[in-house]
Every structure is written in C-alpha cells, then in structure tokens.
Amino acid sequence: MLHRPRIPELAQRDRFIRRAVSEGRVLTFADEETASVPSQKVKGRTVQLFWSSRIEATRWAEALAGNNELQDIGLVTFAAEILPGIAKGKGFAGTDWVSDPIEAEVDPVDLLIRLKTEAVPYYASAATGRGEVFLVADEAGPILTPAGPWAPSGDLLHVFAARAEAERHLKQAGGKRVMAASIADLLGVTLPWAATRAHAVAIEPIAGAGFLEVKIGEFGRQLAAAQSSA
C-alpha cells in the first residue's frame, strides 16, 4: 500500500508543479543513472529525481553525483515522454527531492494530471492571445464526443489549440470538418450551448501529454480572466 503523503511532501510537490509549469522546464542530473535512488517508501521501486530550482539541483548533483552538471528538460518532454516512461517502469518521481525525512515520492500519473491542471490558465492565456481555437464539427456546427467507450454519446466538447491537432482528431471523433472559433464566439455561443449537452471540455494544456477534462464553467472563467488581463 502506498504511503499517505505528509504535509511537507505535499508542499514540495505543489511548489515543484507551480515552478515547472511557470518556467516550462525541470532539472535533473546530466547523468540520468545517478539521478535514480531506491524508494524509501515502497520496496523494490526506484525514484527518479527532478528539481524546479537550479540551486537545489546543483547542490544535490554535487552531493550525489560528485559534480554540478545538470540538464534542463522541457515541460512538454517531461510530461509527454518522461513521466509516462516512469509510470510504465512502476517508478516514482522525486519532486524537488531532498534527503530524509522529507522525501517526495510522487506517483507519475498523479503528477502528470496535476501538471496539466496547473497549466490550464496558461493554455487559456495562449488561446486568448491567438484569438481563436479549433473544434471538430459537422455540417451543423461543433460536435460532442464521448469521454470513452463506457460514456454516453455527446459527453465532451474537444477544444484544440491548433488546426493540425483538430485535424488529427477529426476521423476518430466522427467529424466532417475542422472549424475555427473566435474566443468571443466560444465564450458567448459555443460554451453555453455545450453546457446544456456535455459535462466538460477536453483540452490538452501541455502539448502531447493527453487530454484533461475541465468543467465548462471553469474553462469559461479561465478564458474570461485571460481576456481581462490581456
């Protein structure tokens, strides 16, 4: 059974998530093999070490690897490639790792969800900056797609940051075309329409890292806040 995180561990994890998303990168050792330690919580598991602070990462590189050589990992690579790899290997992510008694050993799937959630305001800000998003549609307009094989038809409104992303999803979603929607139309027409028919919007806040379901009202509030601060 996994341990229940303590308050200091949760604080470390949350600080790491905020910094990773705001700065668009994390750090680890140049030699990735030395950035892996045995888990002190689950026997037989390993913890891959990452930091959001260069000062902290350098200090631990000198202590554990005997040098101060680091590598920057972009947020997209970290979220879309490295965390799924750690999950596949049944490992943990050490977020802003320090030595015992406060060692954050985070489930990589949980960490990925939290990173994507933290990235939603940044996604909304980028969308309002571009002035439009893209939707899968048929002759009548935007279509809704099921969340999964167990879900009823018309469950989610998928919103895409780029036309190419929507085009890749077009066949899978059963749509006929890709349509551009201005942020004004999205807020004033499409989201209110979807709110009566779907339970969430599906967006990809970190490119390539998979969709995240966001409540329609919350997504609208994020877009409106991004508009007002622009």
Side-chain angles (χ1 to χ4, degrees):
M1 180 181 294
L2 294 179
H3 73 291
R4 183 182 297 276
R6 295 168 291 183
I7 291 176
E9 293 175 31
L10 296 176
Q12 271 180 242
R13 179 201 66 193
D14 293 346
R15 179 185 65 175
F16 175 91
I17 289 168
R18 289 193 299 271
R19 287 179 176 172
V21 173
S22 66
E23 298 183 16
R25 64 98 177 100
V26 301
L27 298 127
T28 191
F29 300 163
D31 179 3
E32 295 179 6
E33 290 187 8
T34 61
S36 179
V37 299
S39 170
Q40 295 197 30
K41 309 296 194 305
V42 182
K43 185 178 180 180
R45 301 282 187 92
T46 59
V47 183
Q48 198 71 27
L49 309 182
F50 303 97
W51 291 268
S52 60
S53 163
R54 188 169 297 275
I55 293 174
E56 293 177 5
T58 300
R59 178 161 66 93
W60 286 106
E62 292 171 345
L64 298 178
N67 59 59
N68 59 4
E69 297 175 2
L70 303 172
Q71 61 171 310
D72 285 35
I73 302 172
L75 179 63
V76 169
T77 299
F78 183 62
E81 299 177 19
I82 293 179
L83 288 180
I86 294 173
K88 186 175 180 180
K90 300 187 184 301
F92 297 111
T95 53
D96 281 340
W97 188 90
V98 298
S99 61
D100 192 69
I102 306 172
E103 284 190 15
E105 299 185 1
V106 182
D107 177 81
V109 175
D110 177 73
L111 180 57
L112 179 56
I113 293 171
R114 293 178 185 277
L115 284 167
K116 289 191 288 189
T117 301
E118 181 71 18
V120 170
Y122 296 85
Y123 177 97
S125 179
T128 56
R130 291 188 301 270
E132 65 179 3
V133 294
F134 298 89
L135 309 169
V136 172
D138 58 18
E139 295 84 354
I143 65 171
L144 304 175
T145 54
W150 60 89
S153 178
D155 205 28
L156 296 172
L157 174 69
H158 280 79
V159 177
F160 301 90
R163 180 177 291 275
E165 295 173 7
E167 288 173 346
R168 285 194 294 270
H169 193 72
L170 184 65
K171 186 175 181 180
Q172 177 185 347
K176 302 294 185 182
R177 64 189 177 98
V178 170
M179 64 175 286
S182 70
I183 299 302
D185 284 346
L186 187 69
L187 285 170
V189 179
T190 307
L191 291 184
W193 166 81
T196 66
R197 295 165 173 82
H199 81 272
V201 169
I203 62 172
E204 199 171 37
I206 302 174
F211 288 104
L212 178 74
E213 293 183 21
V214 182
K215 291 182 179 180
I216 295 171
E218 175 59 23
F219 186 56
R221 285 189 289 274
Q222 293 283 2
L223 289 171
Q227 272 194 325
S228 64
S229 63

